[in-house]
Amino acid sequence: MKPSGEKPRLAVWKFSSCDGCQLTLLDCEDELLDIAEAVEIAYFLEATRSTRAGPYDVSLVEGSISTPHEVERIREIRRDSALLVTIGACATAGGIQALRNTLDHDALRASVYPSPQFIDALATSTPVADHVAVDFELRGCPIDKRQLLETLAALLKGRKPTIPDYSQCAECKLAGTACVMVAKGVPCLGPVTQGGCGNLCPKVGRGCYGCFGPKEGANTAALAAELAKLGADRRSIRDLFGGFTAGAPAFAEERRRHER
Amino acid sequence: MDPAVVIPPQGLDDLIGILDAQGYEVLGVRETDGALELGPVTAAADLPRGRIEAAEAGSVRLVDGPRAAFFDHTLPMQGLKRVVYPAQERLYTTGPDLVAAEEPVEAPPRAILGVRPCDLAALDTLTAVFEGGPFVDTRFRQRREALLLIAVNCMRPAATCFCASMDSGPRAERGFDLAIDELIQAGRHVLVVTAGSARGQEILEQLPGEPAEEADLRAAREGSRACAEAQQRRLDEGVEGLLKRSYDHPHWAAVAERCLSCANCTLVCPTCFCGTVEDRSSLDGAEAERWRRWDSCFTLDFSYLHGGAVRGETASRYRQWITHKLAHWHDQFGRSGCVGCGRCIGWCPVGIDITAEAAALAASEGRSELSGEEI
Ligand code: SF4
Ligand code: SF4
Ligand code: SF4
Ligand code: SF4
Ligand code: SF4
């Protein structure tokens, strides 16, 4: 990816988000030295104040686009980055803050802030891919450390990251976790959610709440019908689809169907 | 083989003790977190005694059964497949020298207590897949050859079972080292143990018991017959031809309305063998690993060829699964890919039932023949 001797330059950016995905990078304790060895960390405010100007070989972008300023900033970063990888539910689906997309923004703003006139925000919180071209996305709230390392290792060597597109159910079955829906009747979004988290919720007997967002071809209507059969009312089905990836089109649509 | 032996229920502990002394890791069916799974057992008390599955399409709940039998339950969520064909395993590692070092196979001697006849048949099917062709999967073979199989004949089917119509149960005729029939009649609780191999015979001789009477053997066979009769589901014989004629059928779209393409059915199926191979590299690119993990024809990636996936629609994925299992498997391996264990029915989160879908296709074909219409 670079002439020999020169290390690829990595930048990590934050938009509207909680920092949890960037923390996943810092959480790579054992591998952090390897990362620092393999790349030059050119911009990563959560880790170091020293920054270098672009261009960058790989930019990791956390957070959704929710202010006019962010719209501008993501365009600049795109221009400065050879590869742009979005990380986490905010950057890939708009995050929990995308719940505002279906509400009256002015009223919402007034109900939260004493002086709403100083809040310069967009009416919507949207994924980065709605604004600029994205080369690869990593799902999750937060992202999974192994997936992040795999993606970096792959991109640094110019190969395609091995990130599966299967459902959370496949993770259950690979891990040997008994299905909480079938065995206990616990509502679970796993069948319509992309796997990759490491089977976190079902492994401890909880239903998946969809933080990795919709899997390809998510049949949310069929799952919602099954949840209703298990006794969930319309409101709780709506709320189940209104979590960290509420803004993802498949989930947003299922939520809308259960609005009333 | 020598005659069967009748042992008291406590004899199970003796059996586990003998297996342990012979160096086997003993695996049996255990109740963990509301479901049955295959796991280590050190005593008969580890078995889900008295428990049965209240199973139906999309629901498998464990409840108390009517009696304190050790084996009135049926199947763990996943069968022997996990043991002989791990869900994921490293195959090779390599370093800067580019010499591939094969990962050693973990294949300790394992005794499986309570293998149901359908799962024995499924192991036979997997063996045909992995060892029957010109290229033998030696990792599979080593693990399979390290197994000692103690079958239990079923006296009570779950509502999802249909082995009787697939000729794979509920009584094991072969393929086991020992087989057990559990009899509870008029206050008498015994296990009838039969050997099916020399290794099994050697263990049988160490068990504290009496030679079985003809009446016990008759009761055992009668129990199996009743179990077959009690089965509520079946697959009819013409299903292979039916599916081969149904490539373009509107029913696939109807199934796709309900199907989540979640892959659960394939990943609980004891004969689905598909896997994929993935390479991983270290951050500096100096080390690489090759892994194999289970895959499923319900994922989009599964049918990815140059330029895109062939089976983008759920309809085509469901058709692939049922047609491979029940029709094309015959061309490939000379048998059905289904042993009638019913796992795919119970563990499908929306309760899609392979027998019901086959019946729906058959029914619509009957109708179209009557009307003379192309469908
Ligand atoms: S627990 Fe949820 S994710 Fe796991 S198999 Fe069941 S429905 Fe799928
Ligand atoms: S048939 Fe059921 S288990 Fe199989 S992919 Fe469809 S919804 Fe999932
Ligand atoms: S297709 Fe279903 S019933 Fe047949 S062997 Fe597989 S899981 Fe069992
Ligand atoms: S049904 Fe699908 S997963 Fe199962 S063996 Fe056939 S292609 Fe593979
Ligand atoms: S399918 Fe047959 S052999 Fe298998 S558990 Fe059910 S009754 Fe027993």
Side-chain angles (χ1 to χ4, degrees):
Chain A
M1 144 177 276
K2 284 245 123 174
S4 58
E6 238 181 290
K7 284 192 208 170
R9 301 170 81 194
L10 177 77
V12 185
W13 310 95
K14 175 187 158 63
F15 285 76
S16 294
S17 56
C18 77
D19 284 30
C21 290
Q22 295 182 68
L23 266 180
T24 305
L25 184 54
L26 292 177
D27 251 2
C28 298
E29 287 159 5
D30 295 337
E31 299 85 357
L32 212 48
L33 281 178
D34 292 342
I35 295 174
E37 192 62 36
V39 298
E40 178 196 345
I41 297 180
Y43 190 100
F44 186 11
L45 286 186
E46 184 150 314
T48 165
R49 265 184 303 176
S50 81
T51 58
R52 290 195 51 183
Y56 310 101
D57 294 285
V58 180
S59 274
L60 301 178
V61 179
E62 175 197 271
S64 69
I65 307 301
S66 76
T67 68
H69 176 61
E70 286 179 340
V71 176
E72 291 311 311
R73 201 156 64 91
I74 192 64
R75 290 192 184 133
E76 282 163 29
I77 291 169
R78 176 69 271 189
R79 272 195 296 274
D80 274 351
S81 310
L83 288 174
L84 191 154
V85 180
T86 48
I87 58 170
C90 300
T92 59
I96 188 82
Q97 59 274 26
L99 281 173
R100 77 164 180 250
N101 297 2
T102 55
L103 300 170
D104 177 346
H105 187 235
D106 289 333
L108 209 56
R109 197 158 41 175
S111 73
V112 175
Y113 298 100
S115 308
Q117 68 274 22
F118 297 121
I119 304 296
D120 186 17
L122 298 169
T124 56
S125 166
T126 45
V128 170
D130 283 7
H131 302 269
V132 297
V134 168
D135 298 297
F136 201 76
E137 53 177 39
L138 277 183
R139 308 281 196 88
C141 182
I143 53 167
D144 175 74
K145 170 179 146 174
R146 286 150 306 178
Q147 290 205 335
L148 176 64
L149 288 169
E150 160 61 17
T151 302
L152 287 176
L155 296 179
L156 290 175
K157 289 295 156 206
R159 68 174 167 86
K160 184 177 167 231
T162 303
I163 301 294
D165 65 354
Y166 52 51
S167 63
Q168 178 54 223
C169 299
E171 282 211 79
C172 280
K173 294 301 179 284
L174 289 170
T177 303
C179 175
V180 299
M181 277 232 284
V182 167
K184 297 184 202 155
V186 174
C188 182
L189 284 188
V192 296
T193 300
Q194 179 168 311
C197 65
N199 197 220
L200 293 176
C201 292
K203 201 164 56 190
V204 295
R206 258 186 7 191
C208 162
Y209 57 93
C211 81
F212 267 58
K215 86 171 201 51
E216 57 76 29
N219 189 349
T220 54
L223 180 64
E226 187 66 25
L227 296 174
K229 267 200 243 165
L230 287 175
D233 59 23
R234 290 181 67 76
R235 197 194 152 97
S236 57
I237 294 173
R238 182 198 69 184
D239 291 348
L240 201 54
F241 284 102
F244 300 97
T245 52
F251 288 1
E253 193 188 322
E254 201 51 47
R255 229 175 124 238
R256 247 190 322 275
R257 276 200 282 267
H258 288 78
E259 262 322 326
R260 241 180 288 236
Chain B
M1 280 300 146
D2 288 351
V5 167
V6 169
I7 63 170
Q10 309 84 275
L12 275 176
D13 280 323
D14 297 302
L15 174 61
I16 293 168
I18 294 167
L19 297 169
D20 186 57
Q22 292 194 355
Y24 287 102
E25 178 190 344
V26 185
L27 300 180
V29 176
R30 308 189 48 148
E31 178 175 346
T32 313
D33 211 17
L36 299 179
E37 65 168 21
L38 210 51
V41 293
T42 56
D46 291 338
L47 300 172
R49 186 173 190 181
R51 301 284 274 170
I52 61 171
E53 302 103 322
E56 53 182 282
S59 173
V60 181
R61 307 285 165 85
L62 290 175
V63 296
D64 284 332
R67 52 189 203 161
F70 282 101
F71 299 111
D72 271 357
H73 62 268
T74 60
L75 298 165
M77 180 181 75
Q78 289 165 318
L80 285 173
K81 186 166 87 174
R82 277 197 92 81
V83 179
V84 284
Y85 174 31
Q88 29 203 346
E89 64 174 323
R90 185 161 55 200
L91 301 176
Y92 297 99
T93 50
T94 189
D97 57 5
L98 294 183
V99 176
E102 189 174 348
E103 186 80 6
V105 181
E106 284 284 312
R110 290 185 181 111
I112 317 289
L113 174 60
V115 184
R116 300 303 169 146
C118 58
D119 268 358
L120 276 184
L123 181 64
D124 197 51
T125 300
L126 276 186
T127 306
V129 170
F130 285 123
E131 300 183 37
F135 301 103
V136 170
D137 184 328
T138 54
R139 303 180 75 83
F140 175 90
R141 171 176 280 176
Q142 284 176 66
R143 294 188 176 104
R144 181 185 60 75
E145 285 179 343
L147 296 182
L148 183 92
L149 297 167
I150 303 163
V152 166
N153 291 318
C154 295
M155 296 289 161
R156 176 205 151 267
T160 42
C161 295
F162 58 101
C163 60
S165 68
M166 304 310 287
D167 224 5
S168 57
R171 188 168 189 80
E173 305 295 349
R174 62 195 178 86
F176 54 83
D177 295 291
L178 288 170
I180 297 175
D181 289 280
E182 183 175 32
L183 300 178
I184 303 181
Q185 282 165 329
R188 178 169 170 263
H189 186 181
V190 293
L191 306 172
V192 182
V193 190
T194 313
S197 72
R199 280 196 298 173
Q201 182 62 35
E202 193 197 314
I203 293 165
L204 190 62
E205 279 160 15
Q206 297 180 51
L207 282 175
E210 308 289 327
E213 308 270 333
E214 183 50 36
D216 287 329
L217 298 175
R218 215 176 319 120
R221 280 193 302 271
E222 175 53 30
S224 297
R225 199 190 55 74
C227 177
E229 269 178 19
Q231 296 190 3
Q232 301 167 24
R233 288 177 160 83
R234 58 174 291 109
L235 265 181
D236 289 317
E237 268 181 16
V239 70
E240 179 190 352
L242 171 70
L243 285 166
K244 287 181 175 172
R245 290 190 298 277
S246 301
Y247 185 81
D248 290 308
H249 196 292
H251 189 63
W252 303 127
V255 185
E257 294 265 302
R258 287 172 280 136
C259 176
L260 307 166
S261 66
C262 63
N264 273 304
C265 44
T266 52
L267 300 174
V268 294
C269 178
T271 66
C272 270
F273 56 80
C274 284
T276 186
V277 169
E278 293 175 339
D279 291 342
R280 304 173 188 174
S281 57
S282 61
L283 275 167
D284 60 3
E287 319 281 330
E289 299 181 345
R290 174 157 290 181
W291 285 70
R292 173 167 77 174
R293 68 157 169 83
W294 292 351
D295 201 356
S296 163
C297 53
F298 277 98
T299 70
L300 184 65
D301 255 354
F302 184 89
S303 68
Y304 184 88
L305 300 177
H306 175 75
V310 175
R311 296 191 200 102
E313 303 291 318
T314 298
S316 61
R317 299 185 211 171
Y318 189 86
R319 176 180 62 197
Q320 155 65 23
W321 133 258
I322 193 172
T323 308
H324 187 213
K325 301 253 67 152
L326 304 180
H328 293 143
W329 212 289
H330 287 279
D331 306 326
Q332 236 180 327
F333 306 111
R335 61 175 86 193
S336 173
C338 176
V339 297
C341 73
R343 284 185 176 95
C344 57
I345 303 170
W347 294 99
C348 169
V350 291
I352 293 176
D353 176 344
I354 190 171
T355 65
E357 301 311 331
L361 282 171
S364 75
E365 190 169 61
R367 279 201 301 277
S368 78
E369 271 165 19
L370 285 179
S371 66
E373 278 169 20
E374 275 286 304
I375 46 171

